[in-house]
Amino acid sequence: NAGVMQNPRHLVRRRGQEARLRCSPMKGHSHVYWYRQLPEEGLKFMVYLQKENIIDESGMPKERFSAEFPKEGPSILRIQQVVRGDSAAYFCASSGAYEQYFGPGTRLTVT
Amino acid sequence: GQQVMQIPQYQHVQEGEDFTTYCNSSTTLSNIQWYKQRPGGHPVFLIQLVKSGEVKKQKRLTFQFGEAKKNSSLHITATQTTDVGTYFCAGFGNQFYFGTGTSLTVIP
């Protein structure tokens, strides 16, 4: 039973480019959460999605960031026109009953 | 907005010493979860507490949920080098609020 998968594991983008981060939840899970973690800091909630629905996006920056979880395929976190401050680890998690299972994360570096 | 704070931010202990991290929420939580993140790794679920005053044990780890459901603690007895990592609490209000984490270093 594969765990939560994220790709790519490492992503380097130049300022102004777009970053697409993918997350495949555990089999049977229909809830996906995205978090951002800056070095030496905690996890900051960004968005909570179910299939084809955004349930809570209160943690998402209003501009440049968007997320989706289509009926088929992985959840996508999209960052347009990246800036240096977007450099961070982005984790997604999926949940079944209550606990969250985290993926290995995508380390985004903006140069 | 809701905040979940943890203290201390960092803790260095000698192997064999005990360790405690405290989690405090600005609002009442319906439940609280604890996660461990090893350096360079991802958070891994440890436990969930739901009831007021609940205490749960996992080997050398003891978890408590406060009577008012606004605070929680994790206590590790006789730390080992394998306990190294950052421990996060996560409180659930209308979403998961992760605490700031306590980074534990165990000196052999």
Side-chain angles (χ1 to χ4, degrees):
Chain A
N1 186 14
V4 178
M5 298 171 65
Q6 287 187 252
N7 66 79
R9 296 289 303 273
H10 300 273
L11 182 61
V12 179
R13 285 286 178 266
R14 290 201 177 115
R15 278 181 298 169
Q17 291 185 318
E18 179 179 287
R20 278 181 182 245
L21 288 62
R22 294 174 190 77
C23 170
S24 296
M26 283 184 74
K27 190 176 179 181
H29 286 185
S30 59
H31 301 235
V32 166
Y33 304 80
W34 283 94
Y35 296 88
R36 176 163 63 179
Q37 186 175 40
L38 294 169
E40 307 276 321
E41 292 190 11
L43 292 153
K44 184 171 181 294
F45 167 82
M46 297 182 76
V47 63
Y48 165 35
L49 309 111
Q50 292 180 11
K51 287 278 188 184
E52 300 183 280
N53 278 313
I54 296 175
I55 306 302
D56 184 345
E57 57 179 349
S58 57
M60 287 270 274
K62 293 284 185 280
E63 296 177 353
R64 302 188 299 109
F65 285 72
S66 62
E68 62 176 7
F69 189 14
K71 189 177 179 181
E72 301 290 337
S75 176
I76 307 283
L77 178 66
R78 183 180 174 210
I79 311 172
Q80 295 178 288
Q81 298 175 313
V82 295
V83 300
R84 286 222 174 100
D86 297 332
S87 295
Y90 292 83
F91 290 97
C92 82
S94 71
S95 68
Y98 52 84
E99 73 265 33
Q100 296 184 54
Y101 295 88
F102 281 81
T106 294
R107 268 94 181 153
L108 172 65
T109 302
V110 179
T111 60
Chain B
Q2 182 163 9
Q3 290 188 337
V4 177
M5 303 298 293
Q6 275 184 259
I7 54 169
Q9 188 175 0
Y10 301 97
Q11 184 80 59
H12 292 69
V13 299
Q14 289 287 142
E15 189 173 16
E17 290 182 339
D18 291 357
F19 159 76
T20 304
T21 172
Y22 300 91
C23 178
N24 295 290
S25 169
S26 57
T27 59
T28 302
L29 302 167
S30 58
N31 63 58
I32 196 154
Q33 299 179 354
W34 284 91
Y35 292 79
K36 177 183 178 181
Q37 185 177 23
R38 292 184 185 272
H42 59 276
V44 175
F45 174 82
L46 294 177
I47 209 159
Q48 174 170 282
L49 304 168
V50 178
K51 298 176 185 174
S52 169
E54 189 171 10
V55 178
K56 286 188 177 180
K57 292 193 175 186
Q58 287 180 350
K59 298 181 181 178
R60 294 179 294 104
L61 278 61
T62 302
F63 303 84
Q64 283 191 299
F65 200 9
E67 295 289 342
K69 301 184 77 173
K70 294 177 72 173
N71 55 67
S72 180
S73 65
L74 158 59
H75 180 83
I76 302 178
T77 304
T79 54
Q80 300 175 359
T81 54
T82 52
D83 295 326
V84 164
T86 301
Y87 293 85
F88 292 99
C89 62
F92 189 79
N94 54 359
Q95 63 176 248
F96 278 104
Y97 295 91
F98 273 79
T100 44
T102 295
S103 175
L104 173 63
T105 301
V106 179
I107 304 162

